[in-house]
Amino acid sequence: MGGHHPKLCELGENKMNIAVIGTGYVGLVSGVCFSELGNRVICVDNNQDKVEMLNAGEVPIYEPGLQELMIANKRAGKLSFTSDIAAAIRESDIIFIAVGTPSLPNGEANLGYVEQVAIEIGTHLESYKIVVTKSTVPVGTNDRVRELIQSISTQPFDVASVPEFLREGSAVKDTLNPDRIVIGTDSERAIQALKKLHRPLTENLIITDIRSAEMIKYASNAFLATKISFINEISNICEKVGADVTRVAEGMGYDKRIGSSFLKAGIGYGGSCFPKDTQALIQIAGQVDYDFRLLKSVVQVNQDQRFNVIRKLEEIFGTLSGRTIAVWGLAFKPDTDDVRDAPAIDIIRYLTEAGAVVKAYDPIATANFRKEVDATSIVWEENPLHAARGADALCVLTEWKEFSQMNLMELASMMSEAIMIDGRNVYNKEQIKASGFQYYSVGRPGLNHAEGKAAAII
Ligand code: NAD
Ligand code: UGA
């Protein structure tokens, strides 16, 4: 590769100089992990506060194992943070774009941040670079990135699509042990460099064209979302016919063609990815006059599933006005402080609008959640038992590990009414039997304390 920074030799022949633009969940985790592999990584963000925090050794997001790894690699001189994109581009061989692609009001991906970065790369290009898009972007975006850079610079460069598949909450583990790495590019030079960079992570390198790589990312997320909506619909039927969805999922999962993962019924998927990427793929299809009917249903089912919690509460209480409802779990999944598109947002909004008092607890996501929803009728608790004390019902919306370890008898005794809506199937039959709870979970009617009544409720 041309344009090597002299420091490359100091890193050994397999190590590279890398810039990662955007230090969010994906950029920061990728940057830290590339440095862990021995590369020299400069992480860039235009949010000065973030850069200062990172330089002070603090991680702006909650992600298990990230801070330790970040500090170690920073100390070893392999990882640095800056807002100076020009310097980062100059000193790198491979530039990763890892900025956000949030939804526009019509569901399309907002490519404004990606395009802005492409323009900056074009502006500061002084020698050959490989420009890699890691952000999730619609098919054709890498071509657009190429055009934008070419419209500004005459320097040589190649583009590649290397989508990211990490999950929040296990991002470091996922990045260091990926199922596969997809490399989409039409440049042999880029293929060789990106193979070298990623080979220490996995042998499963899928080399393909740019458009297929872009599509692999959306198709993967859409398929996983489909699995979740599928099992959620099965759970709704299980509640009516007296079957147990956890056993059904287990029985299905043994079939290798189906697989056991992503078959956990609950209150639907949330987060910054599935909701936005399913909408974006519907739009991508629509733009080429294809009506993606299956995915539209997946989205609809998902949007409705969270309201099962409300429906169950209303069946029990009639009106919710004046009721005190405890909520455990605000994050869209455990082990993250991310509340983007968390089902808890819609559920708590509904409860407060219906006149209920909500006592909410989450181990780490409360501060972020309050930026989304805040009302005088929400009491923010720092202890799960305080949240439950005196409540008429408890809703479990995120399966944090600490919830599964609760003493349910003690919990039941401190509530005004021992009623639980478990939106994540956290508790098993034995725990519930001993607890005295009137218990409603997802797709497991047989577990309800008042079995006959429950069947009628659902
Ligand atoms: P994020 O919002 O957490 O982070 C984006 C970062 O980019 C922010 O820190 C922002 O300040 C920075 N930024 C924006 N414009 C910039 C610019 N011009 N120059 C420098 N920095 C800039 O986003 P994220 O969750 O990390 O997601 C990034 C992309 O990766 C998205 O396309 C997303 O769909 C995809 N993705 C996310 C995940 C996930 O779990 N979060 C997993 C796989 C893929
Ligand atoms: C998801 C994908 O799993 C990642 O591969 C992908 O990289 C990422 O989106 C992305 O593109 O950004 P993430 O959103 O972090 O990762 O979390 P998941 O573990 O996939 O969970 C998403 C949602 O689905 C959560 O709300 C979770 O509660 C729900 N879910 C998941 C279920 O309801 N049931 C399941 O069986 C699995």
Side-chain angles (χ1 to χ4, degrees), residues 252-275:
M252 289 166 65
Y254 274 104
D255 186 328
K256 288 193 190 65
R257 296 167 302 173
I258 297 172
S260 59
S261 56
F262 277 69
L263 287 179
K264 269 209 294 254
I267 54 173
Y269 58 78
S272 68
C273 304
F274 288 169

Side-chain angles (χ1 to χ4, degrees), residues 165-168 217 221 262 264 270 273 332-333 424:
F165 299 97
L166 65 78
R167 288 163 301 175
E168 290 179 21
K217 175 62 196 176
N221 272 2
F262 277 69
K264 269 209 294 254
C273 304
F332 79 100
K333 61 181 271 190
R424 300 288 189 173

Side-chain angles (χ1 to χ4, degrees), residues 310-355:
I310 300 288
R311 283 189 275 270
K312 285 174 185 170
L313 285 172
E314 286 182 336
E315 284 285 348
I316 296 164
F317 295 117
T319 172
L320 296 176
S321 179
R323 292 286 174 180
T324 300
I325 309 293
V327 171
W328 280 3
L330 304 172
F332 79 100
K333 61 181 271 190
D335 292 327
T336 180
D337 62 350
D338 198 342
V339 301
R340 290 180 280 185
D341 260 310
I345 294 177
D346 281 344
I347 293 171
I348 290 183
R349 272 209 188 113
Y350 186 100
L351 289 173
T352 56
E353 279 163 20

Side-chain angles (χ1 to χ4, degrees), residues 415-452:
M415 291 177 61
S416 167
E417 293 191 48
I419 296 174
M420 191 193 311
I421 314 287
D422 177 357
R424 300 288 189 173
N425 290 345
V426 170
Y427 302 104
N428 62 37
K429 201 171 191 164
E430 288 66 42
Q431 289 168 297
I432 290 306
K433 237 175 150 181
S435 72
F437 261 105
Q438 190 177 323
Y439 177 76
Y440 306 95
S441 56
V442 181
R444 303 187 302 170
L447 257 72
N448 294 332
H449 180 66
E451 211 161 310

